Amino acid sequence: PIFDSQGQIIAFGGRIFGEAAKNKDMAKYLNSPQTPLYDKSNVLYGLNRAKNEIRTKDLCVIVEGYMDLIMSHQAGASNVVASSGTALTENHLDIIGRYTRNLAMAFDSDEAGGLATRRSIDLALRRDFSVKVILMEDKDPADIVKKNPEEWLKLIDGARSVMEFYFTYAFAKQDSKSLEGKRGIRKTLLTAIKSLASKTEQ
């Protein structure tokens, strides 16, 4: 069941099993279709259970999938919500902003430089959220929790500031000694700096 922020069921999500699961092009999960009640761009999975803890800890951890969220809560991190496979929207940020201005986004190491990820970060920065990035070697939080719940809690505590993440990412991906590499680094960093709402921080 997918709940709204008040805990009312508004949709369902289901895992694909059997023959359909062997199809690589098929999504692993299917959700109820869009309805007047259920609009993915307005719904954060698990917010009904996480909102009080988000307010208490003054931090909202954002993961991608249902199981990431469920496993996180079981590991003791209950200030976690899931975007259910969609990029963060302005509506999502408006909702989170009622509880905190601090975000920690969990991305696997392959996905961290992806366009959708950068869009989510940039959107949050432009709206003056403080953003941190949780970098993971494993594919997702659910896998980490299965191996060692304490490791997931440590990764949340060790989340990097978004600018530290961008600097590390830019210099790891580009050769800072070559002209082409310097251009690539500059493009990554200046785009990120431009997204910051605070002129002081820029």
Side-chain angles (χ1 to χ4, degrees):
I2 298 168
F3 301 89
D4 67 13
S5 60
Q6 303 309 310
Q8 301 294 311
I9 295 174
I10 54 171
F12 290 91
R15 182 75 160 85
I16 298 287
F17 287 105
E19 284 302 310
K22 294 174 186 172
N23 182 348
K24 295 275 190 261
D25 298 326
M26 195 85 166
K28 283 200 298 186
Y29 288 87
L30 284 182
N31 294 328
S32 296
Q34 188 105 331
T35 68
L37 274 181
Y38 176 60
D39 178 351
K40 259 191 180 183
S41 66
N42 288 320
V43 175
L44 287 160
Y45 182 69
L47 181 66
N48 59 307
R49 291 183 178 270
K51 59 187 178 182
N52 291 335
E53 196 68 11
I54 290 169
R55 191 177 272 134
T56 301
K57 290 190 173 167
D58 196 18
L59 175 69
C60 178
V61 178
I62 300 170
V63 296
E64 192 177 352
Y66 303 125
M67 293 312 298
D68 296 326
L69 177 128
I70 291 167
M71 296 295 280
S72 292
H73 281 240
Q74 287 181 2
S78 49
N79 57 328
V80 179
V81 298
S83 60
S84 303
T86 63
L88 274 187
T89 65
E90 292 193 2
N91 291 342
H92 287 147
L93 291 169
D94 285 342
I95 293 164
I96 294 168
R98 296 173 200 161
Y99 307 101
T100 183
R101 303 298 299 176
N102 300 305
L103 304 177
M105 299 183 181
F107 302 124
D108 67 65
S109 48
D110 293 338
E111 187 197 342
L115 194 57
T117 301
R118 292 205 300 275
R119 277 197 195 125
S120 294
I121 291 173
D122 291 349
L123 186 62
L125 290 175
R126 282 200 302 275
R127 294 173 73 84
D128 209 14
F129 279 82
S130 171
V131 182
K132 290 190 172 182
V133 177
I134 302 165
L135 284 178
M136 305 172 295
E137 293 299 322
D138 277 295
K139 190 72 180 162
D140 52 44
D143 292 335
I144 295 167
V145 174
K146 273 184 220 163
K147 287 181 189 171
N148 182 359
E150 289 297 317
E151 181 62 26
W152 173 235
L153 300 179
K154 277 184 198 166
L155 285 172
I156 294 173
D157 287 340
R160 295 180 184 182
S161 77
V162 75
M163 289 314 299
E164 185 188 348
F165 156 69
Y166 271 127
F167 270 84
T168 304
Y169 177 77
F171 279 90
K173 292 286 180 186
Q174 305 280 353
D175 174 14
S176 61
K177 292 184 174 65
S178 74
L179 186 60
E180 194 177 321
K182 285 177 183 174
R183 280 197 191 118
I185 290 167
R186 189 176 67 178
K187 186 179 177 189
T188 299
L189 294 183
L190 291 182
T191 304
I193 290 166
K194 187 180 173 187
S195 297
L196 294 170
S198 161
K199 293 293 178 191
T200 310
E201 216 172 336
Q202 281 185 347

